[in-house]
Each structure stands twice: as structure tokens, then as C-alpha cells.
Amino acid sequence: MLEVIIALSLAILLGNILAHKIRITPAILLIFLGLVLALIPVHAMHEVREVGLPPHVILEIFLPVMLFWETRNTSWREARARLRGILLSGTVLVIFTAFVIAWVLHTFMGVYLWHVALIIGVALAPTDAVAVATLNGKLPKSSITTLKAEALINDGTTLVLFALALQLAGGHELTLGTASGMFFFSFLIGTLVGLAVGWGVDKLRAHIGNPMNFSVFMFTVPFIAFFLAEEIEPFEGMKGSGVVAVVVAAFYLTYRGPDTIKPQNRFYGLPIWSFVSYVMNGALFVLVGVQLPSATAPVDDVLREYNYAWALTFAVIVVAWLVSIAARFIFLHVSIGIIRALDRSEKRKQLRTTFRGRVVSTFAGLRGGVSLAVALSVPTDVPARDFIIFVVAGVVLLSMVVQGMLLPLVIRWAKIPVDTTEEDEINEAIRTIIAESFDSVAEIGQEIGAPQWIIDRIADEQMYNASIHRNLHAVRKDGANAPEEARRIIEAGDLEKELRLRHLEKQRSVLKRLRNERIIDTNVLHVIQEILDIEEVRVLGPVELE
């Protein structure tokens, strides 16, 4: 087991360092390094090759944590503005893609068993939230939000489709009513469980003061939401969607966060989440690479049994990949055309995308670990299971490597303008907070009986802190060292400390109001909230973590 930990850690480290050096998506190098680990003929690598990628590891461990974190970092305002398109892409597009791939493979590519073609189509239908997250910084915020929100939803649709495909493979007859009922109950139960878990957790976390206890508690939340939703089955074959429950709970808790998370818990807890997400993200892609060679081993027997040829198998992989891209482009083009014809409002016109933008969105729909997990989840008694795994693994590799490497070229070709909206909102929010909270220094100071010299000093600092805040934001963004004056320890007695804390509370109330009035985005709130949390921790001093 030590060999596995060492190999994964070094692969994640090396892959991310090299990816930033040569400016390609880290996932591509991580998959390649996983392949290298699987092919190294050294006894020490045997345990790494044996680890594989059990489907329950992704569906029950990786997926809840990654979805919870990515939802927290998804712009709710942008998602609401594009909700119609996101819901269509997260549901109808998945169904459309699955059946188009299945039809092409069954009709033209010699995949004679319909259920085999359908399972391959279902596995390849969803884009991967973890893979899409690697595109941060390469696309405008609105495009990233749409892609991430779509990927957060489509996993739930895929798992329902997968259950239907397995029932067909088992010889069961399905009606349109049964299929529709499965979708309806899956999303309904998932939504209700997500809201219930979110509400309960929000009440409890407000009373947790220790940052380490807070982090442990919050780390269990996505698993609780996923487990409860999956366990609720009001009718046979109709159970809740754990994916939807995790996403809904995360959105609810993110929105309520400014009210119920203590600043010190955010300050110490969020870096832990960021680290765990970083490691799990990297480990997932390395393990995908490790899994790929083992998928080829049993395929020979399957090919002989169903009279397939290796050349035809590789052709199936390439065609399935191309069809997944074409289906996505056709759906985006047609659905946007229909929406434009039905909705000609000024608001809708502001959200319109160009032809080149749709090409970028098409290529950005990467397939990843979720597709492979679905394929690996196929029961061993399903005919041609190994063939399904091999084809899906091949398409995942093509998607992540070929499509991922072409994406930067497509983005440059599209000439998408640089999105400065978030930077503008951050600067405007800082100006508003400083302006609206300036007078509160004198009011609070007089209320608590602070000496005038303390009031004057803090008031003068507020004018100066506007530039300091921008410096800290720049530091957060580019990793440089903060200015020395921004790091100095606040010297204050009890009255000065109370004045500073109450003034920070006033600034947070202004920040939350700007978010509620949709003047700033949730991600902007997180950036400035982090700056205010740093200042509060400086005022209070180190927190006892044990």
C-alpha cells in the first residue's frame, strides 16, 4: 500500500508541475503518468496496477466530495441566468447523446447487441465535472459556470439512464411511463433530501466553534446527502439521486454560508477542502490512466465470441468519440435556435452566444472518470462487459488527450474576449464596502466608549485599506507576497479590538447585501469575504485547533 501512496503522490506532483510548465491541462499529463505507472515492468509497481479504479470509489467517494466542492465554487447568479440552457444540457442533451451514440454503433458499426450499444452511449453521454474544473482560467466565467453546472446535473441523469439500460439488458420491458417516473422521482427525492440536509447542517454548523471539528463535520455532509438520497426508494426501481442531493445541499449551504459559518472556520477550514479536492482530483485522473491497460486484457475473448475484429473495435472507439462531439454540437445549435425563436426578450439577447462560442462549448464537453465508473459498474453477467469497458476507456482517453489538447487552439480560434467582470465587481464591491462602512467607525466607537484617537486611527486606516485590499486580492490571485504594511499585526486593546470586529461585521453585512441584490456574484463574495476573514483572524489572534 505504501507503494501506491508514494506513486500517486509523486505522479500528482510531477503531473501538475509539468502541466503548468508546458501550459496544458493537468488532467492530460496525469492520465499519461497513470499509463506509465501501469506499464512499468517493476515489481514495486505491481500494487499500483492492482489498485485499479473500482466503480464504487468514484460513485461513492470521489464524486460526492468533488461535486460538493465544485458546486461551492460555481456562480449561482450565472447559473440562474442560464438555468434553462443548463437544465436542457444536463438532462435532454444526455438522453439525446446516449441514444444517438447507441443508434450509430448499433446500425453502422457492427455492435449487434442493442443493450451493449446503449450502455456505451449512456456511459459516454455526460461531461465530467472534475474534467471541466480543469478549464478554470481558460474560458470566460459565464462559459465555465454553464459547463460546470451542466456537469453537476448530468451525472444524475446518467445514473437513471444507466439503471434503465441495465433493466433492458436483463430482458425487462420498459414503458415510457416507467422511464419518466424514474427520472421524476430521482430528481424530486434528490432535491428534497438535498434541501433537508442543507437546512439541518446549516443549523448545526452555526454552533461549531473549533475549525478542525467544523472541517470534519462539513466533510461528512456530501456523503450523508448522497447516502440518504440513494437509500430512499418509495417504489421499486425508483430511488433518489445522490448526485442531485449533493448539488442541492451544496448550493443551499453556500448561499447561507455568510450567515452561519464563523470567520475562523472559513479561514482554517477552506484550505483543507481545497487541498483534499486538489489531491482527489489528481488521484482520479492518475487512476483512470492506471486502469486503461487492464481494460484491454479480457477483450480478446469477447471479440472472438461476437466475431469482432480489433480494427473494428478501434473504429468503434473513434466513431463513438466523434459522434459524442457531433451530437453535442447539433443539440447546442438546434436548442439555442429554438430558444431564440421562442424568447426574443432583451435579457435573452444579452445571453446569446456566437457560432464560435458554441464550437468552444462543444470541445469543452470532456468525458472523464464518471464515464469510466459507469462502464466499470456494469454487472459481470452482462454480455460483452469487457468490450464496453474497453470502448468507454478508449473514448475517455481520446476525449481527455486529443480533445483536451485541441481545446486551447479552438479557444484561440474563437477569439473569445477576456472576461474582466469579476475583477470589476471586486473593485466596485471594495469601494462600496469602504464607503458605506466608513461612518460606522465613529458611530460604533462612540457607542462602546472608545477614545477618539482610536476612532481616528481606524477611520484613517479605512481609506488606506482600500488599496491594501486590492493588494491582498492580487496576492491571492498571482501568489506573490503581500506588501509588508498589509501584514503588520494589529495593535489594539479591548476597545479597539471590539471596534474593529464590529466594523468588520458591518462590512460583511454590506457585502452580503450586494450579493443578495445581485450586484456582485457569489464568487466575488468569497474573494472579499476571505480578505475580511484574514483581518478578523489578525484581530483575534491564533485559534486553538485542538
Side-chain angles (χ1 to χ4, degrees):
M1 193 62 188
L2 285 177
E3 292 93 335
V4 175
I5 296 174
I6 293 170
L8 284 178
S9 300
L10 292 178
I12 294 169
L13 176 63
L14 183 61
N16 281 284
I17 290 175
L18 290 177
H20 288 293
K21 289 285 185 182
I22 60 180
R23 299 181 182 277
I24 68 171
T25 303
I28 297 173
L29 268 181
L30 292 172
I31 290 177
F32 174 75
L33 290 174
L35 274 168
V36 171
L37 290 176
L39 297 175
I40 292 177
V42 178
H43 179 72
M45 293 295 103
H46 176 72
E47 285 198 32
V48 179
R49 290 190 290 272
E50 291 298 314
V51 170
L53 196 64
H56 65 85
V57 171
I58 291 182
L59 297 180
E60 298 177 8
I61 298 178
F62 278 85
L63 196 59
V65 173
M66 299 306 301
L67 288 177
F68 195 83
W69 179 248
E70 291 305 327
T71 303
R72 190 260 177 191
N73 294 320
T74 299
S75 167
W76 175 236
R77 186 188 64 182
E78 296 289 336
R80 286 184 60 181
R82 293 164 174 79
L83 186 60
R84 181 165 48 190
I86 290 170
L87 289 177
L88 285 173
S89 298
T91 54
V92 181
L93 174 56
V94 175
I95 298 171
F96 176 75
T97 303
F99 279 94
V100 168
I101 293 175
W103 175 71
V104 171
L105 297 186
H106 181 64
T107 306
F108 300 105
M109 297 306 300
V111 180
Y112 302 114
L113 297 175
W114 167 251
H115 77 267
V116 172
L118 182 58
I119 292 174
I120 292 173
V122 170
L124 298 176
T127 55
D128 188 74
V130 179
V132 169
T134 64
L135 301 176
N136 283 331
K138 298 180 177 66
L139 290 172
K141 184 179 67 174
S142 58
S143 299
I144 286 292
T145 297
T146 303
L147 289 166
K148 286 172 65 174
E150 172 196 342
L152 293 173
I153 295 173
N154 62 25
D155 291 339
T157 307
T158 298
L159 295 179
V160 176
L161 271 180
F162 182 56
L164 291 171
L166 289 181
Q167 290 191 34
L168 288 174
H172 300 285
E173 292 187 3
L174 292 174
T175 64
L176 181 61
T178 302
S180 301
M182 287 182 69
F183 275 101
F184 175 77
F185 278 103
S186 176
F187 278 81
L188 177 63
I189 294 171
T191 301
L192 293 177
V193 169
L195 289 173
V197 170
W199 180 85
V201 169
D202 188 60
K203 297 297 182 184
L204 290 173
R205 71 180 177 183
H207 303 288
I208 301 177
N210 184 284
M212 293 298 102
N213 292 338
F214 173 82
S215 298
V216 172
F217 173 67
M218 292 303 299
F219 194 73
T220 63
V221 172
F223 299 111
I224 293 172
F226 190 92
F227 173 78
L228 291 178
E230 292 286 325
E231 287 297 307
I232 296 178
E233 190 172 356
F235 307 102
E236 185 177 358
M238 296 186 181
K239 63 179 182 179
S241 170
V243 169
V244 173
V246 171
V247 171
V248 171
F251 267 128
Y252 182 92
L253 290 168
T254 299
Y255 188 83
R256 294 285 300 157
D259 296 316
T260 55
I261 302 180
K262 293 178 171 59
Q264 63 267 27
N265 286 344
R266 279 194 300 264
F267 180 81
Y268 291 102
L270 288 179
I272 296 174
W273 268 94
S274 183
F275 171 75
V276 170
S277 174
Y278 183 85
V279 172
M280 294 186 75
N281 192 338
L284 176 60
F285 287 114
V286 174
L287 289 173
V288 168
V290 169
Q291 182 69 36
L292 291 178
S294 62
T296 65
V299 175
D300 271 325
D301 295 336
V302 178
L303 296 183
R304 283 195 295 270
E305 182 180 352
Y306 292 96
N307 197 28
Y308 294 155
W310 273 106
L312 178 60
T313 303
F314 286 115
V316 167
I317 292 173
V318 174
V319 169
W321 172 57
L322 293 175
V323 171
S324 69
I325 296 174
R328 181 174 178 84
F329 177 76
I330 292 170
F331 182 88
L332 292 177
H333 193 75
V334 173
S335 62
I336 289 174
I338 294 174
I339 290 174
R340 287 183 178 180
L342 298 177
D343 187 351
R344 298 182 176 274
S345 64
E346 190 63 32
K347 179 181 178 181
R348 180 53 50 186
K349 289 180 180 179
Q350 295 175 358
L351 299 176
R352 286 183 176 179
T353 60
T354 63
F355 173 82
R356 293 192 176 201
R358 290 194 289 278
V359 173
V360 172
S361 296
T362 299
F363 272 82
L366 303 174
R367 272 66 184 177
V370 172
S371 294
L372 195 55
V374 170
L376 290 168
S377 299
V378 177
T380 54
D381 59 349
V382 173
R385 176 181 184 270
D386 295 314
F387 176 78
I388 293 171
I389 295 173
F390 182 71
V391 170
V392 172
V395 175
V396 168
L397 188 62
L398 281 175
S399 178
M400 292 303 303
V401 177
V402 179
Q403 197 173 327
M405 294 184 73
L406 287 174
L407 184 57
L409 299 176
V410 174
I411 293 173
R412 285 197 291 271
W413 166 80
K415 296 179 180 178
I416 297 176
V418 177
D419 188 356
T420 61
T421 303
E422 186 167 300
E423 293 296 320
D424 294 340
E425 288 186 5
I426 289 172
N427 291 329
E428 181 60 31
I430 289 174
R431 284 194 292 269
T432 303
I433 290 171
I434 295 297
E436 294 193 14
S437 64
F438 183 78
D439 292 338
S440 68
V441 175
E443 295 174 3
I444 297 172
Q446 292 171 3
E447 180 181 332
I448 65 175
Q452 187 62 40
W453 64 271
I454 292 180
I455 296 173
D456 292 340
R457 185 171 69 178
I458 295 178
D460 290 340
E461 284 182 4
Q462 295 312 301
M463 302 302 294
Y464 171 72
N465 275 348
S467 62
I468 295 298
H469 287 335
R470 295 188 183 92
N471 286 335
L472 287 174
H473 170 61
V475 167
R476 178 185 179 276
K477 184 179 179 184
D478 61 22
N481 291 324
E484 182 62 30
E485 59 268 31
R487 294 184 175 280
R488 60 193 177 88
I489 300 174
I490 299 173
E491 300 174 355
D494 291 340
L495 289 176
E496 183 174 354
K497 180 182 290 188
E498 183 179 354
L499 175 54
R500 289 181 183 277
L501 291 176
R502 291 184 59 176
H503 183 246
L504 286 170
E505 184 180 342
K506 170 65 177 179
Q507 291 182 319
R508 286 196 183 89
S509 68
V510 175
L511 181 63
K512 189 172 69 173
R513 177 179 61 79
L514 293 175
R515 190 277 309 270
N516 293 342
E517 294 176 356
R518 302 181 191 176
I519 296 174
I520 63 172
D521 189 23
T522 303
N523 291 340
V524 173
L525 178 140
H526 289 158
V527 171
I528 301 176
Q529 185 174 250
E530 182 179 329
I531 296 171
L532 298 179
D533 290 345
I534 291 172
E535 292 191 5
E536 178 154 332
V537 170
R538 286 175 179 169
V539 173
L540 293 174
V543 174
E544 182 65 44
L545 299 180
E546 296 182 357

